[in-house]
Amino acid sequence: MAQLEIKGKDGKVVGKHDLGGALKEAKPNSALLHRAVVAEEANSRQGTQSAKTRSEVRGGGRKPYKQKKTGNARQGTIRAPHYAHGGMAFAVKPRSYEKKVNRKERRAAILSALAAKIEAGDVTVTENIVFTAPKTREATKFLAGLGVGNRSILVVLPQHDEITFKCFRNLAHVTVRTAPSPKAEEGKESKTNTFSARDLAIAHKVVIAQGALQLIEEVWY
């Protein structure tokens, strides 16, 4: 795990990369990864669902029939939960599903997931991931040359590149993300496109540019 092969666009090995920083010492930790993934999925929920209780449903302002001598069970309103078109018992209301994961734990979970992928041989490092024109055909040819198959693939770039993003966006099994940047870690820019522990957990293969790997080692030292 201390050294990874670097491949060119044709899939041939062109060099070696020695892992450094925290990534070199990282070990798979399923419990930590589980907490990070659960928190990420919970935080993506809108929490805007809402159902009406019996007091919010229109109608039912009087008793449907008198209290006694009808042979029926006594009822106070036809908008009770057991009536059709009645309110919902224990109705769901808007709420926040947010779960907090501190920065140190989130970072450790990502490194753990990446370490697990490296250990399993599911990480392919390339010299660079650059295309001259936004053509899906070029992206397909590139992935085929690396031999990563056609199951879910996570592509990690050093920084956002619009042309590269457009090359991959028509491939449903490919997700494109960027490596962490020093400015994002300091809170000076958005982290929205940075890959997460969940991205790594659901990916079958990871294709990462050498520059992106160096950024990970530099920022998450």
Side-chain angles (χ1 to χ4, degrees):
M1 184 178 161
Q3 198 174 61
L4 292 173
E5 293 179 340
I6 302 172
K7 295 184 178 181
K9 281 194 172 184
D10 55 358
K12 294 181 180 179
V13 178
V14 295
K16 301 280 186 179
H17 180 89
D18 294 317
L19 292 175
L23 186 56
K24 184 179 179 180
E25 307 297 330
K27 294 180 180 179
N29 186 327
S30 57
L32 184 61
L33 178 59
H34 177 265
R35 286 201 300 274
V37 173
V38 167
E40 184 179 345
E41 292 188 337
N43 294 343
S44 67
R45 296 183 67 175
Q46 290 183 326
T48 56
Q49 74 276 37
S50 182
K52 292 182 179 180
T53 62
R54 59 185 290 172
S55 65
E56 295 169 322
V57 178
R58 184 178 180 183
R62 62 179 178 82
K63 286 174 68 67
Y65 44 80
K66 65 181 183 177
Q67 181 86 342
K68 297 179 179 290
K69 299 181 180 180
T70 64
N72 297 313
R74 50 194 171 187
Q75 304 293 336
T77 172
I78 58 171
R79 293 299 178 246
H82 60 281
Y83 273 103
H85 310 298
M88 179 180 286
F90 310 110
V92 291
K93 291 296 180 183
R95 53 163 289 195
S96 171
Y97 290 91
E98 183 182 4
K99 291 180 181 291
K100 286 194 173 184
V101 177
N102 62 52
R103 185 174 66 175
K104 193 173 181 179
E105 188 177 23
R106 174 181 60 82
R107 185 182 295 181
I110 295 173
L111 291 174
S112 167
L114 190 53
K117 290 293 181 185
I118 294 173
E119 194 174 276
D122 294 330
V123 174
T124 301
V125 183
T126 65
E127 283 185 297
N128 52 54
I129 306 174
V130 178
F131 300 97
T132 55
K135 295 182 179 179
T136 305
R137 181 174 65 251
E138 294 297 320
T140 304
K141 182 180 177 182
F142 170 71
L143 294 176
L146 294 177
V148 293
N150 57 3
R151 293 177 66 182
S152 57
I153 300 170
L154 173 65
V155 176
V156 183
L157 308 175
Q159 57 191 11
H160 180 73
D161 179 69
E162 194 65 24
I163 293 177
T164 304
F165 172 76
K166 287 180 178 179
C167 285
F168 286 109
R169 70 178 175 182
N170 286 334
L171 300 176
H173 64 290
V174 178
T175 301
V176 181
R177 294 286 187 266
T178 60
S181 68
K183 289 184 178 180
E185 287 297 307
E186 292 171 5
K188 295 180 180 178
E189 64 181 41
S190 174
K191 298 180 185 177
T192 52
N193 205 37
T194 304
F195 73 96
S196 66
R198 182 181 180 277
D199 291 329
L200 288 166
I202 65 176
H204 181 64
K205 296 288 184 180
V206 178
V207 177
I208 183 169
Q210 186 181 12
L213 189 57
Q214 290 170 341
L215 268 176
I216 293 170
E217 295 168 341
E218 177 189 338
V219 177
W220 293 339
Y221 57 86

